[in-house]
């Protein structure tokens, strides 16, 4: 497996940004059950998409996940 992917796909970064936004909203709502559910579902979508992409691209899924999270954080700072 490749040690490091170059730039993670934009669709994975967008999914991570959505999950991050859902987390922030859950925190804003004091972790209300519905907000928690939305956050958990968004996180599961990211996890599954990363796993599928990593398998197809033959890259380390843990590294891809780290790259996606970092790219999402960087995009939020911009």
């Amino acid at each position: 497996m490749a040690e490091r992917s170059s730039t993670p796909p934009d669709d994975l970064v967008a999914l991570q940004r959505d999950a991050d936004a859902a987390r922030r909203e859950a925190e804003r709502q004091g972790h209300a059950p519905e907000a928690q559910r939305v956050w958990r579902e968004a996180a599961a979508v990211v996890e599954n998409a990363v796993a599928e992409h990593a398998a197809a691209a033959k890259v380390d899924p843990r590294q891809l996940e780290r790259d996606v999270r970092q790219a999402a954080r960087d995009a939020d700072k911009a």
Side-chain angles (χ1 to χ4, degrees):
M1 286 193 183
E3 185 63 28
R4 179 166 176 82
S5 60
S6 54
T7 300
D10 290 340
D11 59 331
L12 295 181
V13 175
L15 290 173
Q16 182 64 55
R17 291 182 76 193
D18 290 345
D20 293 345
R23 177 188 47 79
R24 287 189 300 272
E25 182 60 20
E27 290 170 349
R28 189 188 70 74
Q29 291 185 26
H31 296 283
E34 179 61 19
Q36 288 276 50
R37 183 189 61 76
V38 170
W39 175 20
R40 282 192 310 274
E41 288 176 0
V45 167
V46 173
E47 185 177 331
N48 290 332
V50 165
E52 288 176 10
H53 181 82
K58 295 183 169 86
V59 297
D60 180 358
R62 294 170 305 230
Q63 184 62 53
L64 178 59
E65 181 179 7
R66 285 189 293 268
D67 292 345
V68 167
R69 287 179 186 225
Q70 184 62 52
R73 282 191 298 269
D74 292 347
D76 286 341
K77 291 178 187 175

